Amino acid sequence: MSTSAARPVDVVVVGAGFAGLYMLHRLRGLGLSAVVLERAGDVGGTWWWNRYPGARCDVESMQYSYSFDPALQQDWHWSERFAGQPEILAYAGHVADRFDLRRDIRFETSVTAARFDAGRGRWLVETDAGAWEARFCVMATGCLSTAKLPEIPGIESFAGRRFHTGHWPHHPVTFAGRRVGVIGTGSSAIQAIPVIAAEAARVTVFQRTPNFSIPSRNKPMDGDYEGWWKRDYGAHRRRARMMRTGILYEINDKGAMEVDPAEREAIYRRRWEAGGTSFMGAFADLITSQDSNDTAAEFVRGRIREIVADPATAEALAPKDHPIGTKRICVDTDYFATYNRPNVTLVNLRAHPLAGITEAGVRTGAGEVTCDDLVFATGFDAMTGALAAIDIAGRDGLLLAEAWRDGPRTHLGLMSAGFPNMFFITGPGSPSVLSNMMVSIEQHVDWIAGALGAMAARQAGVIEPTAAAQEEWVRHGMEVANRTLYPRAASWYMGANVPGKPRVFLPYIGGVGVYREICDKVAAEGYPGFSLSRAA
Ligand code: FAD
Ligand code: NAP
């Protein structure tokens, strides 16, 4: 594509999920021209793609929503404590309409390449529907937007219907009367299995690694609770932004071993009954002390053994290979109880390894299970997958794939040295997936908008992190991660689910509030660690 054919714009934003939508709104406020390029047919990102049965948020809806517009958060009413996918998608659509965003979004447009022309200080962004030329490029491409099928021999030979939770069809899918195989037991599967099992003739779950899951206790929105939030939304949001996870909930400041076993049990039980991810706030040291973590893990294993009637199934469902919380903790509705249904069977792939997929179903060490449908709840090439799929070349033709060969290298998760004027929203090296993503998205968008405003004031044309600042941030990120139990789990946080992906801890675990203070300080001090210049 020649530069002359490219349409000029101040900023190209890639992705029209919650990050891209808010970025576009802020860019307009700065008086910049912008286009959003989006592969999907409409806005919503994650919530446009993940339409599997049972899909819903695991951060309470009163918090899993934008805070940037006081009228929006007052006007919108969530019908449940944890909203389902259709309602979250409707919310994204409402925001797009309310702020008239769609006129600057090109749907069904996939970005294939982005090349920086240092001489002209422009990014040339190529798509399957023409090219764009921009001073700035914002990658709002999502951390969990590249669905991943597993490397299982014979996967293409299956003759029945095949689904991936992250790429679910837009037409209604019924499982009535069908024999369904589900591969995977992460958050997506844990939400989908109970709903599929309620409809299907038979469900066989193929589990490689069991996961910890806490009941959501989802329910219709309580008017008093909604009122509590809305009466002082601004103040509650400000507090949430300074929490470790960006979620406002009570965190016990005691360590688990500081209380006696009876009190510990009572605290866990209260959190279990309350439901949701706040279980991990039961004690301050659950992600840093193995001994403390063991007590929480054993409590949850105890509940699984209580709920699941068949002892062998309960034991197979009880996670023992990773500390609780070091893989994103799951939140469910009736997940473990679903295994008491006569039409649901668990196949433990650790005991009976998966041999392959055949035309008729799934073959394991225990024999072949015939299936009409296969549901792959096998996750994503997380955090870097969507960026790696774009051929990105920065200064002097430096390829992002090359620069990140041993793992992503960013300064603050926001930019990477050698890639001037390219920003990442919730990129690797920022709290992103370890947080309420809405909080992290808004924080990144606001920081980027602030940086663009500062550049305009200084008449700077180019911003780029220094190599020294980036190396220090990467080192600091690893140091902080190594103070926790997280690196002990073979998780997608570590890139462990993608063969050949470097094993580095991808998000920043220093905490959402701490991270915000670091970013704010950088902005307040005139962007140390970044070079701002007039020209490239
Ligand atoms: P996305 O919503 O992923 O949007 C990125 C968009 O970029 C996508 O629409 C994609 O099509 C587009 N794109 C990517 N590459 C290209 C390209 N090359 N060209 C064109 N377009 C491209 N987080 C929470 O905090 N709480 C939750 O409860 C929660 N629940 C989740 C449930 C599921 C099932 C999943 C998968 C994730 C969940 N998350 C949750 C994380 C969720 O991804 C974020 O909360 C948030 O929706 C991310 O928004 P985003 O705009 O950054 O990215
Ligand atoms: P995931 O957590 O990565 O789970 C993938 C599952 O597939 C794992 O159980 C994995 O087993 C299994 N798997 C992968 N390859 C396999 C193979 N070859 N053979 C057998 N099993 C295989 O993916 P996800 O469930 O889609 O969740 C991803 C993230 O999205 C979550 O962690 C969360 O951040 C977000 N999410 C949130 C919600 C929510 O509650 N709001 C819902 C869905 C997703 P191993 O563990 O053994 O690899």
Side-chain angles (χ1 to χ4, degrees):
M1 172 69 62
S2 77
T3 312
S4 56
R7 284 156 279 190
V9 69
D10 289 325
V11 188
V12 161
V13 179
V14 188
F18 285 125
L21 292 180
Y22 180 43
M23 190 74 245
L24 175 59
H25 178 66
R26 289 298 315 264
L27 291 170
R28 283 187 185 163
L30 290 169
L32 294 167
S33 61
V35 66
V36 179
L37 305 173
E38 169 57 63
R39 174 174 299 139
D42 202 353
V43 299
T46 289
W47 306 101
W48 192 88
W49 294 101
N50 290 262
R51 295 163 184 249
Y52 60 83
R56 64 179 65 251
C57 53
D58 62 3
V59 171
E60 287 188 7
S61 308
M62 295 309 294
Q63 307 202 49
Y64 188 70
S65 46
Y66 286 122
S67 71
F68 71 84
D69 188 78
L72 168 67
Q73 66 183 7
Q74 285 298 329
D75 293 350
W76 186 264
H77 166 70
W78 293 106
S79 69
E80 292 177 278
R81 179 183 182 193
F82 296 100
Q85 173 271 334
E87 194 171 9
I88 304 172
L89 185 61
Y91 173 74
H94 169 78
V95 171
D97 291 340
R98 189 171 179 128
F99 298 98
D100 188 21
L101 298 176
R102 284 194 180 86
R103 69 181 152 88
D104 286 324
I105 306 177
R106 304 287 169 271
F107 295 111
E108 293 175 358
T109 301
S110 286
V111 173
T112 51
R115 302 182 176 281
F116 187 65
D117 179 342
R120 301 176 58 248
R122 294 287 183 276
W123 279 96
L124 179 67
V125 179
E126 293 178 25
T127 79
D128 54 3
W132 299 81
E133 188 190 85
R135 291 167 56 211
F136 299 98
C137 194
V138 180
M139 307 308 275
T141 41
C143 295
L144 297 161
S145 54
T146 306
K148 196 186 160 303
L149 278 171
E151 297 72 23
I152 300 177
I155 192 164
E156 296 300 334
S157 65
F158 181 63
R161 298 187 303 176
R162 207 174 73 167
F163 305 96
H164 190 291
T165 49
H167 218 134
W168 202 262
H170 286 215
H171 57 77
V173 176
T174 171
F175 291 105
R178 320 250 325 158
R179 296 163 301 179
V180 184
V182 180
I183 299 186
T185 47
S187 300
S188 300
I190 280 176
Q191 289 185 330
I193 287 164
V195 186
I196 297 174
E199 191 190 21
R202 193 195 75 200
V203 174
T204 309
V205 179
F206 298 92
Q207 171 190 274
R208 190 164 63 185
T209 315
N211 267 303
F212 291 100
S213 188
I214 309 296
S216 70
R217 314 281 179 212
N218 190 31
K219 56 184 177 187
M221 181 58 71
D222 177 286
D224 290 344
Y225 187 61
E226 182 180 9
W228 180 83
W229 272 96
K230 288 192 171 176
R231 266 191 304 283
D232 212 357
Y233 229 142
H236 299 324
R237 297 283 207 184
R238 278 193 293 281
R239 283 177 62 210
R241 288 182 198 124
M242 298 317 292
M243 302 289 289
R244 180 160 54 82
T245 57
I247 306 171
L248 190 59
Y249 62 67
E250 190 206 334
I251 299 183
N252 191 345
D253 56 11
K254 283 193 183 138
M257 306 317 249
E258 287 177 47
V259 300
D260 64 44
E263 186 181 345
R264 203 159 50 224
E265 175 83 5
I267 289 173
Y268 287 139
R269 203 165 278 279
R270 267 203 304 281
R271 299 257 173 179
W272 178 266
E273 291 308 323
T277 57
S278 69
F279 182 84
M280 289 305 293
F283 293 102
D285 59 351
L286 293 183
I287 60 158
T288 50
S289 158
Q290 184 69 59
D291 287 346
S292 295
N293 189 287
D294 285 345
T295 65
E298 191 48 34
F299 174 85
V300 173
R301 287 191 287 265
R303 301 294 69 71
I304 297 170
R305 292 177 185 123
E306 228 167 53
I307 297 168
V308 180
D310 173 51
T313 305
E315 224 34 59
L317 285 166
K320 299 172 196 90
D321 78 319
H322 63 279
I324 185 169
T326 56
K327 292 184 167 188
R328 177 133 176 160
I329 197 146
C330 304
V331 172
D332 70 276
T333 299
D334 295 335
Y335 175 63
F336 294 113
T338 294
Y339 290 91
N340 296 335
R341 295 178 65 102
N343 66 335
V344 178
T345 308
L346 182 74
V347 176
N348 179 356
L349 298 177
R350 297 280 181 213
H352 311 289
L354 219 168
I357 291 176
T358 64
E359 202 181 326
V362 180
R363 203 156 32 81
T364 75
E368 185 168 70
V369 180
T370 306
C371 298
D372 303 312
D373 301 322
L374 285 182
V375 173
F376 291 93
T378 45
F380 302 86
D381 184 351
M383 300 208 69
T384 54
L387 294 169
I390 303 172
D391 183 15
I392 299 175
R395 196 185 286 286
D396 303 324
L398 175 66
L399 297 177
L400 192 74
E402 193 55 40
W404 289 13
R405 179 191 289 274
D406 299 326
R409 307 192 90 70
T410 66
H411 185 34
L412 301 173
L414 280 158
M415 299 192 80
S416 190
F419 302 86
N421 290 1
M422 173 173 276
F423 297 95
F424 311 111
I425 300 185
T426 64
S430 75
S432 64
V433 290
L434 295 175
S435 70
N436 175 356
M437 294 283 281
M438 290 300 247
V439 170
S440 290
I441 284 169
E442 286 193 326
Q443 187 252 332
H444 265 190
V445 170
D446 289 340
W447 193 93
I448 294 167
L452 295 181
M455 288 176 74
R458 286 199 214 173
Q459 296 185 319
V462 178
I463 181 169
E464 182 180 350
T466 66
Q470 177 167 294
E471 287 318 295
E472 175 52 22
W473 185 252
V474 171
R475 189 204 60 74
H476 169 66
M478 281 164 55
E479 177 194 89
V480 179
N482 286 331
R483 276 188 235 142
T484 74
L485 304 173
Y486 275 83
R488 298 191 189 181
S491 68
W492 59 258
Y493 294 143
M494 294 287 293
N497 65 330
V498 179
K501 195 164 169 172
R503 295 280 182 111
V504 292
F505 193 71
L506 294 163
Y508 176 66
I509 201 178
V512 166
V514 169
Y515 173 79
R516 174 184 294 272
E517 283 173 343
I518 295 170
C519 291
D520 285 352
K521 188 163 181 282
V522 168
E525 291 178 355
Y527 300 93
F530 292 87
S531 75
L532 272 68
S533 56
R534 267 172 199 264

